[in-house]
Amino acid sequence: MATVTTEAAGTPVTDVEHEQSFLRKYVFSTDHKVIGVQFLITSLLFLLFGGLLALLIRWQIAAPGEPIPLIGGLFPEAMAPSGIMLPEFYNSLVTMHGTFMVFFAIMPLLVGVFANFLIPLQIGARDMAFPRLNMASFWLAFAAGLIMLAGFLVEGGAAGAGWTSYAPLSANPEYTGVSLGQQLWCVSLVVLGLSSIAGSVNYITTVINNRAEGMTWFRLPLSVWSLFITAILALLALPILSGAVIMLLFDQTLGTQFFLQSGGGQPLLWQHLFWFFGHPEVYILILPAMGIASEVIANGSRKPIFGYKSMVFAMVAISFLGFIVWGHHMFQSGMNPTLGTSFMISTLVIAVPSAIKTFNWMGTMWRGNIQLRTSNLFGIGFVMLFVIGGLSGIYMASTPVDVYIHDTYYIVAHIHYVLFGGSLFAIFAGIYYWFPKMFGRMMSETVGKIHFALTFVFFNLAFLPMHEVGLGGMMRRIYDASNYQYLQDMQGLNEFISWSALGLFLVGLIFAGNFIYGMLWGEEAEANPWNANTLEWQTPSPAKHGNWVTLPTVYHGAYEYSHPEVSDKDWLAQNERPEVVTPYEGEPEGAGSTDVAPAGAG
Amino acid sequence: MDWTLPPNLAAGRMAIDETYYIILVLTAIAFVLVEAGILWFMFRYRNREADYVHGNNTAEIIWTAIPAIAMVWLGIHSGGIWSEIKGDSAPDDAFELGVTARQFEWMITYPGADSELGTADDFTLRNDVRIPVDRAVSVKLHTEDVIHSFFLPFMRVKQDAVPGMTTRTWFEAAETGDFQLACAELCGLGHYRMSASVAVLPADSFSTWYQTRAKEAAAEADSSFWTETPPNTPETVSGLPDDYGTAESGGEGSGEHQ
Ligand SMILES: [Cu+2]
Ligand SMILES: [Cu+2]
């Protein structure tokens, strides 16, 4: 196998490209870039699957009790006899849509893909600190995904207690009729937790130990900062989920009563544990998106990121506050009103660092030279839609308003503005931006722009009206709303949302086409097609095994765009010689001088 | 897009709607500023030489302080309303209802002639809530199985029923009419049809109905809800619609989960 060690800077590595078997190179690879691409392809497939589940859900909402068109006949009796969906199957769909999107699509797309691909390249390292642990992390995640999928194949169907799996509904199979599926849900998440912990340890260690010479903390690209903070969040939060899920599994199988009131257990304990993990999880799902957006917007505005340190401190603040807001999911659970008020205040305060970040992105665009390339369009789209998701969060943070909108479609609209409009838009931005580095080829910019425009339109058509449905009082996870008189006149809107969701799904296929075409037949990419400063662009596209012939030395921050002393171009790579320019006053010590302070020992 | 809330028919719950509209105004301002700003920058700052600027501390302070003040103010404002809604503040003369949720129905226990819950003359109706207008109703919530949530959209009431806990909520209907009680928390395959009828009656017709019913109940005082399974009274309203081919044992009450 590749034994590329981290020689001292300047020592050329001769055998970066020596022979590897196919299995070693593409399947059981320890190369962080290959692992990143493995995560990318599997998570995109799970994203597609999650989207299909969403379409089935939307069919049932738009046409309750009518046979599913085209594929209705394919479902077994236990799911949809003669194509008509059963309520228990609907509950499984709702549960698995949430589970797959959160745990197997968005989270690995952000963390698995970008932490793996970007961290070593952007900090100037040859690989992760623990490459084999990294490989284990991918294969554990992959196994967890298969275990989760298996839920659909076992007797009783897939888990059906919601992606939040509230006890005691989830704890006792008598309540749902699902027993094996519910257990597989637990086992899968325990395995995924192991993957995530292994990954996090690796990312944290790598960022602390393996930064190139001169890569001080405040020269790190914001993408690395965001992934570093995310890894810390994941390391602290995922074990809580694992523990809770193991307890739930014991309740289901061994007769323990942690969450079952009948044996002296406490159903609300599950909610506390789940959301103590779950709210930091929300930030695990948004911080890397913020990091990606910062990269593409600064690059796409040809301007230094506005308020670099504010951006870093805002992320630190978000992740700290993220651990003390979990009770906002439980306002209606009968908690003491004073406790509710304190959770409300912490939740409202978390809006402040999000606002700071938004204004700084705007500040970055302000007086820039904005390039409307696909990555930047998705980056700007991310800001525009994340703002809506952030603002709608204020409504449910306010406890009195939450009384009304809690557990309604307003919440569903909110979470999709955050996770689709926010996270997924940033993921698309990241894929368009780093695709050349990953595959050595370009995706089509024209098709990319069409993909962006249609996604933006259909996304808003699907999810903006959902706020209205929620304000009308429609509950979440309702198999058939026709039982409620007051929901009747919302049916037209629900049908409209379903059509828009179908449109959104089909637009996703444009992306799939562009991705596959680009990978196989796309135009060959230059090393630095976006004229970017960060280190990964100073290697060939695609980057070779071991990343660098000579380890880079870093002289500047990541955002020295349009520097007035650089005459022939509007960018300045982080590893370009310092005598070109005088450092800007906010630079950390050692900046711009030839005797660069070495960063944390390698 | 309609951003207004549906009619609020509860007395003393207007503060929820008012807070909603305050937030609507605040967020609308932020929304317009940010989105218009972004669109303007996208249009204005093209094909030019970008400025070389790393940030501005005054700007940072301003856009930290303004949202911070707004959020803290909103928190304090909301907190006051919240403790009024969820605190133990039901008026003393409130009409008391016992509500027990179970998969997938609401058992409503009325206090009977002595106006006190938990006595022998209580009577219980299935999926049938009848309450007087203009009088506070205090609800004592229980559940026999999983978590359910007591949701009266037009009264702006939502409260979870949690196994092993008694949760309480109260409200006062300001208008007569027929409404629906919904379950807002996923509670199993019948969650979608776990509704009850809610009749808000004028004071006189409510007391006529209530006294007749209470007298009957007193006569058969041994059928108390608190000791036995509830009786299937003639008033029992079946809220069950067609189910789409689910395998259910047709029994009232328990037996829906196999
Ligand atoms: Cu939360
Ligand atoms: Cu329910």
Side-chain angles (χ1 to χ4, degrees):
Chain A
M1 70 154 282
T3 48
V4 177
T5 49
T6 46
E7 280 99 330
T11 314
V13 177
T14 43
D15 60 343
V16 281
E17 278 246 81
H18 55 140
E19 280 303 301
Q20 284 179 305
S21 69
F22 178 83
L23 215 60
R24 265 273 170 249
K25 198 165 178 186
Y26 295 110
V27 184
F28 296 105
S29 173
T30 51
D31 181 344
H32 70 102
K33 300 182 293 297
V34 177
I35 295 172
V37 171
Q38 287 175 320
F39 264 114
L40 178 63
I41 289 171
T42 47
S43 327
L44 284 175
L45 289 173
F46 283 132
L47 180 74
L48 180 76
F49 182 69
L52 280 170
L53 299 182
L55 287 189
L56 288 172
I57 295 170
R58 286 315 309 183
W59 171 259
Q60 171 63 24
I61 295 172
E66 280 175 42
I68 303 160
L70 305 175
I71 52 168
L74 303 175
F75 293 98
E77 285 286 294
M79 292 177 182
S82 27
I84 298 170
M85 193 182 293
L86 294 174
E88 45 274 57
F89 183 48
Y90 181 82
N91 286 351
S92 293
L93 288 175
V94 168
T95 303
M96 296 312 253
H97 168 70
T99 303
F100 270 105
M101 287 308 200
V102 168
F103 293 107
F104 297 100
I106 304 295
M107 191 169 159
L109 276 172
L110 285 170
V111 183
V113 176
F114 291 108
N116 267 308
F117 190 80
L118 292 183
I119 288 177
L121 277 171
Q122 288 198 325
I123 65 173
R126 295 206 184 278
D127 206 321
M128 286 289 179
F130 311 115
R132 287 180 212 207
L133 195 61
N134 210 20
M135 176 180 83
S137 160
F138 169 74
W139 285 105
L140 283 169
F142 187 74
L146 294 186
I147 296 170
M148 193 60 83
L149 271 179
F152 282 104
L153 306 175
V154 298
E155 206 191 321
W163 81 276
T164 52
S165 275
Y166 273 14
L169 184 65
S170 57
N172 185 340
E174 274 192 14
Y175 294 136
T176 48
V178 183
S179 86
L180 250 171
Q182 210 71 46
Q183 292 164 23
L184 286 172
W185 187 89
C186 292
V187 172
S188 166
L189 288 193
V190 173
V191 175
L192 186 76
L194 290 175
S195 154
S196 185
I197 293 164
S200 301
V201 169
N202 216 343
Y203 310 143
I204 293 169
T205 313
T206 307
V207 174
I208 293 177
N209 279 341
N210 296 26
R211 280 170 290 132
E213 210 175 295
M215 183 61 96
T216 57
W217 284 98
F218 286 115
R219 282 177 184 167
L220 283 174
L222 288 172
S223 45
V224 174
W225 263 112
S226 73
L227 292 162
F228 177 67
I229 295 170
T230 300
I232 295 172
L233 280 184
L235 190 62
L236 294 176
L238 260 297
I240 310 282
L241 176 73
S242 302
V245 161
I246 290 170
M247 287 157 82
L248 183 61
L249 187 62
F250 284 178
D251 274 9
Q252 291 164 355
T253 56
L254 300 184
T256 58
Q257 312 264 333
F258 290 113
F259 308 120
L260 285 164
Q261 184 267 332
S262 49
Q266 177 51 269
L268 286 186
L269 176 62
W270 168 264
Q271 293 187 27
H272 281 291
L273 293 174
F274 184 84
W275 289 116
F276 188 78
F277 147 78
H279 199 88
E281 170 72 10
V282 172
Y283 292 108
I284 291 172
L285 298 172
I286 203 69
L287 285 173
M290 291 172 158
I292 293 169
S294 300
E295 289 303 299
V296 298
I297 290 175
N299 177 282
S301 303
R302 314 307 299 161
K303 198 167 155 258
I305 195 89
F306 202 88
Y308 174 90
K309 284 191 180 171
S310 301
M311 289 297 225
V312 174
F313 294 138
M315 285 194 282
V316 174
I318 285 175
S319 37
F320 173 74
L321 288 168
F323 274 105
I324 54 166
V325 299
W326 79 92
H328 62 207
H329 298 271
M330 301 168 63
F331 285 152
Q332 314 312 328
S333 68
M335 69 161 61
N336 182 310
T338 314
L339 186 59
T341 300
S342 53
F343 276 123
M344 163 173 62
I345 303 278
S346 56
T347 303
L348 286 169
V349 167
I350 215 168
V352 176
S354 305
I356 293 173
K357 295 199 71 85
T358 303
F359 290 127
N360 278 306
W361 286 315
M362 292 177 72
T364 306
M365 293 174 67
W366 172 71
R367 303 187 67 78
N369 172 18
I370 294 173
Q371 315 289 308
L372 294 184
R373 51 174 82 113
T374 311
S375 59
N376 196 26
L377 285 172
F378 271 107
I380 295 169
F382 158 85
V383 179
M384 296 180 81
L385 300 176
F386 171 73
V387 164
I388 299 178
L391 291 174
S392 68
I394 296 173
Y395 293 77
M396 59 217 65
S398 165
T399 44
V401 180
D402 185 68
V403 170
Y404 183 63
I405 60 177
H406 184 80
D407 271 332
T408 67
Y409 265 85
Y410 199 89
I411 310 292
V412 183
H414 162 75
I415 196 69
H416 284 90
Y417 266 91
V418 175
L419 290 190
F420 194 134
S423 308
L424 196 54
F425 267 65
I427 288 165
F428 282 134
I431 292 175
Y432 280 102
Y433 188 72
W434 280 291
F435 190 90
K437 193 55 64 184
M438 287 175 175
F439 300 104
R441 293 179 183 276
M442 309 292 287
M443 285 172 86
S444 158
E445 274 289 301
T446 317
V447 178
K449 282 175 190 170
I450 294 170
H451 169 226
F452 166 76
L454 293 176
T455 308
F456 193 85
V457 169
F458 279 109
F459 171 79
N460 283 297
L461 289 180
F463 292 105
L464 204 62
M466 218 177 251
H467 293 98
E468 187 174 336
V469 174
L471 291 176
M474 181 162 164
M475 296 76 75
R476 298 166 70 176
R477 299 162 168 174
I478 288 282
Y479 163 71
D480 182 352
S482 63
N483 298 291
Y484 290 93
Q485 203 57 46
Y486 74 97
L487 297 177
Q488 296 306 304
D489 44 354
M490 233 105 65
Q491 189 52 24
L493 207 50
N494 273 323
E495 284 165 27
F496 177 81
I497 292 171
S498 293
W499 281 113
S500 308
L502 178 63
L504 190 56
F505 179 85
L506 295 177
V507 172
L509 301 181
I510 300 178
F511 169 78
N514 197 359
F515 187 93
I516 293 167
Y517 184 90
M519 207 161 81
L520 299 175
W521 303 291
E523 199 188 312
E524 283 200 16
E526 313 157 29
N528 191 359
W530 317 121
N531 295 333
N533 296 343
T534 38
L535 292 179
E536 76 276 27
W537 300 106
Q538 320 314 325
T539 63
S541 299
K544 301 281 184 290
H545 192 91
N547 295 349
W548 317 96
V549 175
T550 310
L551 280 174
T553 302
V554 172
Y555 304 101
H556 321 273
Y559 301 102
E560 293 302 302
Y561 289 108
S562 302
H563 196 293
E565 289 168 42
V566 180
S567 48
D568 50 338
K569 55 189 178 112
D570 63 355
W571 55 285
L572 179 64
Q574 284 192 273
N575 61 345
E576 263 180 89
R577 301 297 299 171
E579 52 265 34
V580 190
V581 294
T582 44
Y584 97 91
E585 59 211 29
E587 275 280 287
E589 49 180 299
S593 81
T594 30
D595 58 341
V596 183
Chain B
M1 274 296 299
D2 182 3
W3 293 98
T4 56
L5 291 172
N8 181 342
L9 306 178
R13 280 285 191 284
M14 226 38 202
I16 289 181
D17 294 34
E18 281 160 17
T19 309
Y20 169 81
Y21 288 112
I22 290 171
I23 301 175
L24 188 63
V25 171
L26 288 177
T27 52
I29 294 170
F31 172 80
V32 170
L33 275 177
V34 171
E35 307 288 355
I38 291 174
L39 291 174
W40 169 243
F41 293 169
M42 278 171 77
F43 166 79
R44 171 70 185 76
Y45 299 118
R46 304 287 314 283
N47 305 317
R48 63 193 292 280
E49 218 166 281
D51 287 19
Y52 179 74
V53 188
H54 278 93
N56 182 316
N57 286 336
T58 318
E60 299 284 347
I61 290 167
I62 292 172
W63 64 47
T64 306
I66 292 177
I69 292 166
M71 288 304 109
V72 170
W73 175 82
L74 182 63
I76 293 166
H77 170 84
S78 303
I81 300 163
W82 173 249
S83 38
E84 215 154 277
I85 295 171
K86 293 276 172 172
D88 240 355
S89 49
D92 288 339
D93 64 336
F95 178 69
E96 266 204 274
L97 273 187
V99 174
T100 300
R102 64 189 188 201
Q103 289 181 323
F104 300 97
E105 57 192 359
W106 301 96
M107 306 308 300
I108 316 294
T109 301
Y110 296 80
D114 62 358
S115 308
E116 231 174 282
L117 280 176
T119 52
D121 66 344
D122 293 356
F123 62 95
T124 300
L125 304 181
R126 177 172 173 270
N127 289 335
D128 186 355
V129 182
R130 298 186 193 204
I131 49 170
V133 73
D134 294 332
R135 180 171 168 197
V137 175
S138 136
V139 179
K140 237 171 125 176
L141 267 172
H142 290 97
T143 167
E144 286 183 7
D145 38 47
V146 300
I147 298 173
H148 303 270
S149 192
F150 182 92
F151 181 30
L152 283 173
F154 297 98
M155 306 292 166
R156 307 290 189 262
V157 172
K158 191 176 287 130
Q159 179 62 55
D160 290 358
V162 183
M165 278 171 72
T166 305
T167 49
R168 288 164 197 278
T169 184
W170 72 278
F171 63 98
E172 181 179 327
E175 268 178 57
T176 59
D178 290 318
F179 307 98
Q180 272 172 306
L181 167 65
C183 177
E185 185 69 64
L186 179 65
C187 56
L189 62 89
H191 166 53
Y192 70 100
R193 54 175 160 79
M194 187 166 161
S195 66
S197 69
V198 179
V200 181
L201 302 167
D204 49 344
S205 55
F206 174 78
S207 64
T208 318
W209 169 79
Y210 188 69
Q211 274 153 21
T212 331
R213 197 60 199 76
K215 234 172 258 163
E216 282 169 38
E220 37 175 294
D222 58 336
S223 64
S224 166
F225 168 67
W226 299 101
T227 52
E228 281 175 44
T229 43
N232 288 315
T233 60
E235 284 87 354
T236 298
V237 175
S238 169
L240 291 184
D242 301 347
D243 55 87
Y244 299 94
T246 57
E248 273 178 54
S249 54
E252 309 259 295
S254 60
E256 287 215 341
H257 37 81
Q258 304 86 2

